[in-house]
Structures are given as structure tokens and as C-alpha cells.
Amino acid sequence: MKVQLAQRHALITGGGTGIGRALAFALAQHGARVTVTGRRSELLQAVAQAIIERGEPAQAISADVTDAAQRNAMLTQAVASFGEIEILISNAGALHGGSFAQHSAQEIEALIRLHLNAPMELVRSLHPHLKAIVLVSSQAAQIPVPHFALYCATKAGLSAFATALRYELDDTHVLLAAPPGTRTPMIEPFLHLPEAKHFPLLEAEFVAERIVKALAAGRREVAFHPLYDFPVRFYRWFPGLLTRALHWQRHRFARLFERQ
């Protein structure tokens, strides 16, 4: 079933940069009233102002979605200004790389709160009025990436959450977006390294366009590009072959982090 975007209030977490920023512009172009939220107020304000200058409704509300008080205050303000939130885009994320054994307990807890707890709490708070939920996971949830175990695990949990929700929320469409590597500020610290040339990246605007197109069409998952989607199918068909390749790649990833 197709999802109406026009005249609906869409909340986008992590809306100041990268995929979230691009999603804000794409949804506004489809007629949605857009609220962008995140921790960096100046970036959020710039996104909202640019959308408003195009003649489309938008607002920016800074909040740390992992903090219950800030999250609830943000939701109250968003609803007071634009009405009930009907489309939730849970996009906020962080990339923690390196040997898993070197992660602190605080780092582990923080990423679980951001990638799992916050989306779950937002869905729990908003579901009576939601017409659609978009959970932005990652291709890393489907194909393990050496030295990104924490990121892979939390994104895999988010993907499982999306799949299970489909069987619970009869009147709410749930779209899982698991984009491959995308050029965003989150990965900029790695782009100058020689190893980065082996990992082609999509542009955030292209990824956002594909997500919004899939949402409007009422699809359950997003197809991004045959070249980038193929590794997931290959891993499903021939896990043994890719496992050997990943064992070889782990040394490349290890060198990458040694140079940080």
C-alpha cells in the first residue's frame, strides 16, 4: 500500500547532516511538514531555514534522542508546532570502529542507546499516530565488517526490530533502509586513508531519494543500486567464500585503525 507523504508531519532524527539532511529536503519536496532533530543546533537550523526558503514548512529542534527528558521535550515541541507526528524517520547514528576488545563499557552502552533504545522509545511514544516508520540501519547489519563489530551488532538489532514491528503494527507501514557505504560526515575521518579507495561510496542525496521513493511506494525494504546490493545476495548464497574474503580484509581494517 502506498504511503501518503504530502501534508504529513515527518520527524527525522540525525537531520542536520548526511542522509538525515538529505531526507529532510526530499520529504519536504514531497509536501511533508518536516521536523529535524539532533544535537547540533546550528546545523539543524541551517537545514530548516534552507527548506523554508524553498517555500516548504520545516522546523529544527535540538535534542539528544538518547536522553529521555530531551527526547520528550522535543516531541512535545514538535507536536505543538506541526501537529501529531505521522512519519518517523529514525536515522541518528554513530560509527565506532576499532578492535571490539578496546571499546569501553561507556562506548558500548552509548551506541546501544543511540541505535536501539532511542528508536524503540520513539516508536513506543509515537505509534498511536504513526502512519509510517523508517528505520535507517546499514548494510553492515547484513554483512559483517571486521573492526566494526559494535556498529554491526547494533544495526543488526535495529533491522530485527523493524522486521518484527511489521507483524505488530497493522496500521503503520514499516520500512527498513539498510544503505551501503555512503559519503557522510560520519565516515570522513577514514576517507583520507589509502585503504578507503577500495570501498566505493554512494552519495547521501541518492540514498535519501531511494528511501523516500520506497516509502511512497509502500515497499518494505529499499533497493539502492544493483552493484551495491549484490554483496548482500552474494553473502546469502555463498557465505563461505565471503567469509574467507573477510578474514583477509580484517588485516586491511586493522591497518586502517592503526593509522588513525
Side-chain angles (χ1 to χ4, degrees):
M1 181 181 296
K2 293 184 177 181
V3 175
Q4 176 187 331
L5 304 180
Q7 304 302 317
R8 284 189 165 162
H9 182 189
L11 171 67
I12 305 170
T13 70
T17 62
I19 296 172
R21 179 182 185 276
L23 282 167
F25 284 101
L27 284 166
Q29 191 171 8
H30 281 77
R33 304 188 304 279
V34 171
T35 297
V36 288
T37 189
R39 292 181 297 177
R40 290 175 284 184
S41 178
E42 67 283 358
L43 296 175
L44 297 168
Q45 293 294 340
V47 172
Q49 186 59 38
I51 293 173
I52 291 169
E53 289 174 358
R54 299 195 319 187
E56 297 151 352
Q59 63 178 340
I61 306 173
S62 58
D64 180 351
V65 293
T66 68
D67 181 281
Q70 292 187 44
R71 183 175 61 244
N72 292 335
M74 176 271 294
L75 294 178
T76 299
Q77 183 178 344
V79 170
S81 299
F82 278 0
E84 297 293 349
I85 296 166
E86 297 156 296
I87 300 173
L88 169 65
I89 314 286
S90 183
N91 166 77
L95 185 62
H96 289 192
S99 170
F100 179 76
Q102 295 177 356
H103 286 308
S104 67
Q106 291 76 18
E107 287 176 326
I108 294 172
E109 182 181 354
L111 210 61
I112 291 173
R113 288 204 311 268
L114 181 60
H115 288 170
L116 288 174
N117 292 13
M120 290 177 177
E121 289 294 345
L122 286 167
V123 169
R124 190 173 65 85
S125 298
L126 298 173
H127 79 85
H129 301 282
L130 288 175
K131 302 301 181 183
I133 298 167
V134 179
L135 298 176
V136 181
S137 180
S138 169
Q139 196 176 83
Q142 301 165 294
I143 301 177
V145 183
H147 292 271
F148 287 93
L150 180 57
Y151 181 80
C152 292
T154 52
K155 285 296 189 178
L158 185 64
S159 296
F161 178 54
T163 302
L165 272 182
R166 294 193 186 113
Y167 300 100
E168 294 189 31
L169 304 180
D170 294 332
D171 299 322
T172 304
H173 180 73
V174 179
L175 172 65
L176 172 63
T182 305
R183 192 179 305 278
T184 68
M186 187 171 70
I187 68 164
E188 281 181 357
F190 307 106
L191 294 183
H192 69 284
L193 299 171
E195 288 79 6
K197 67 182 180 181
H198 298 284
F199 306 103
L201 302 173
L202 293 176
E203 298 299 326
E205 291 74 17
F206 175 82
V207 169
E209 177 188 335
R210 300 299 297 176
I211 292 173
V212 171
K213 183 177 180 180
L215 176 61
R219 299 189 186 121
R220 292 156 56 108
E221 296 186 0
V222 185
F224 290 99
H225 188 283
L227 177 64
Y228 293 84
D229 296 334
F230 177 75
V232 175
R233 296 188 180 93
F234 186 85
Y235 184 62
R236 291 172 181 167
W237 297 336
F238 308 106
L241 290 176
L242 193 55
T243 296
R244 287 195 289 272
L246 288 168
H247 275 290
W248 176 75
Q249 288 278 28
R250 65 179 178 173
H251 301 295
R252 176 176 290 168
F253 280 100
R255 290 195 300 271
L256 185 151
F257 286 103
E258 287 172 0
R259 297 179 185 181
Q260 287 295 299

